[in-house]
Each structure stands twice: as structure tokens, then as C-alpha cells.
Amino acid sequence: MTHADHAIVVEDLRKEYGTTPALDGLRLTVPRATVQGVLGPNGAGKTTLVRVLATLLRPGGGRAEVAGLDVVRDADAVRARIGLLGQHAAVDEELSGRQNLELFGRLYHLGGRRAASRAGELLERFGLADTGRKPVTAYSGGMRRRLDLAASLIMEPEVLFLDEPTTGLDPRGRTEVWEAVRGLVGGGTTVLLTTQYLEEADQLADAVAVVDHGRVVAEGTPDQLKAGLGADRVDVVVRDPARLAEAAAAVGGAAGAGTADTAGTGTAADPGGVTVDRDRRLVSAPVRDRMAALTATVRALDAAGIRAEDIALRRPTLDEVFLHLTGDATRNARTTDTTGMPEPTTEGAAV
């Protein structure tokens, strides 16, 4: 596949805040009409990457192309071909949905008639036609986010950047946005999606790049990343939390996983062995032979007199891949990047 087949090409991209790199030689290629997920803990460089690709930041080194155009040399032309949905709503809540979209159209110099026509098209496309004249204050969270998404599509962009588009939405609102994104890709739009909802990447992304410390540390389809973590797992919910350590030893032995990891509090994570989640009374272990391990686990628990509320076989999750690759789960709670400065946010619905 040549560069001409890709909507986004990033080569050795660098950007520093102070003396600490936010992007440190990052490489990424995204085929046209696909969804590329970008995962990473806070401060990993996700938003900085989006801002560089959207021409809001100049890179410190390397190069990037969007829609076949250099983001530095051809910045104006890039802006005419992209849309951007940031982390924060950009619509005016006092205006109606239609008024918001017509306003964005006029800002793009579409003219009154074309702006009105385009607003009507987008309201219909995103299932907002019946609410187009209501003020945005009357919209649900999912409806507002769909309106944000519609605003980012005023100019029918070739490439759309979605920076954590469903943060704060309830499950219904997230599903509404997901359906809208699938429809866009079906129409030929390329989407780059940053998210910390692992389920979102699993649902939407054709490929996922895991970013940490400004570099891509792993990439592939969600299934490839899960397969790379290793075997399937057996999960056991133990009735008596006081017997978790015994259960971990029994499950680990039956599954052939070795010594159990039974940390004192919270979740003990060791993707190569047994994990214990005390809050959920859950013991999990990798298995080599699914059915043999399940039978052996039931027998081992019965022999030890340990009662289980549930036993299930499953594949590794993207959450486990994420924690394994980034190495430090506590980083997800951070609100600043590695320089101690807040990582820039992407405000505004459209570039």
C-alpha cells in the first residue's frame, strides 16, 4: 500500500513542551475510509498528535500528511479538507440546532442559501430534523454531541478527527455517536479517533495504535492486539472474599498459569499469570486448553471447598492490552502530561 492509499501519514513526528517530548518520533499511517483508534494514558501525546494533524500546532520535527497534503507547508489546504470534534462542545446552547449549523456554514463562507441547505441536510442525516428549531439547552447529551459532529462536517471533510468524542455521555448517547461515525466511514470519510473508552475502540476502530510517551508502542486490529497478549482466560467470581488467595492458587494451578498474584488491595495485574480483583471477588488466569482448563478449575475449587458464584471463559480485553502495554495503570488518573503542564485540549467543533 502506497502513501497515496493513505489519508494520514506520520513520519518521525516530534513536539516538545519545554525540554520534555510530547511526541517523540511517532509514526502512523491510516488507510482511507477507515477508523483509526489512538489509545494511551493521559499525557501520552494523543491530543498533541490531533492538534498537529489539524494544523493547530506546528511540529518540532518530522513530517505529517493529511489527505495527501503536508500539514505545515499546505496548512490552509489541509484545513479545507478536515473536520475536528474536540473534547468540549462548541455549539451555542442559546441557539437552535439549525441556527448553530447555519452559523458554522456562514463562517465557512457558504453564503446564506447554501448554509441553510447544508444545515437541513445534516440535521436530517443525524436524526435531528425534528429538533432542529429547539434551543440546544433542550437537547440530551447524545443529541448535543451529534450536533457537534454535524457541525464538524459542514464542509464534507475527507478526514475527521474525533478527540474523545463521547466523554461524559451515557451509554445511549455513546451508541448514538458510534452509529453516526459508522455512517460517515461508510460514506468514505477517514476517522482518527482518540479515546480512553476501550470499548469504543473495540466497537469502532478498524485498527488501533497504542501511544505511550509520544511513541506508538503497538498497533494492529483490536483482535490482533488481544491475540498478542496471549491465551484466553478463565474468570472465577468467588463467594467468600476471605478465600480469594486460596482460590487464586487453585485456579492458577488448574489453568497451568503458575503462581497467583494476590496483592493486598484493588486489582493485582500480571497479564502473564493470575490476576485478583478484590472489589469484584474475581480471580482470572490464562489458559492453554479452554475446555480442559475449565473442567480442571471446577474440580480444583470443589476439592478445596471454595464456592464460586460464576465461572466463565473469555478472550483478553483491550483493557488488559492497554494496561500491559502502557505498564502503569495509575497514569490514567493524571491530568497533566510528563512536563507537568496540562496537555492541550481541542476546543471547537470544526477547523
Side-chain angles (χ1 to χ4, degrees), residues 206-292:
D206 297 292
V208 172
V210 181
V211 176
D212 199 21
H213 293 94
R215 292 174 173 267
V216 174
V217 296
E219 57 185 330
T221 67
D223 283 345
Q224 286 170 339
L225 291 176
K226 293 173 191 176
L229 188 59
D232 292 345
R233 300 185 75 86
V234 60
D235 286 350
V236 177
V237 178
V238 179
R239 175 165 296 183
D240 183 358
R243 304 200 67 182
L244 275 170
E246 296 173 76
V251 172
T259 304
D261 181 345
T262 54
T265 59
T267 302
D270 172 13
V274 179
T275 63
V276 177
D277 185 331
R278 295 189 177 281
D279 291 335
R280 295 190 293 164
R281 294 174 283 117
L282 175 67
V283 175
S284 180
V287 298
R288 299 185 181 92
D289 183 321
R290 288 170 59 90
M291 300 314 298

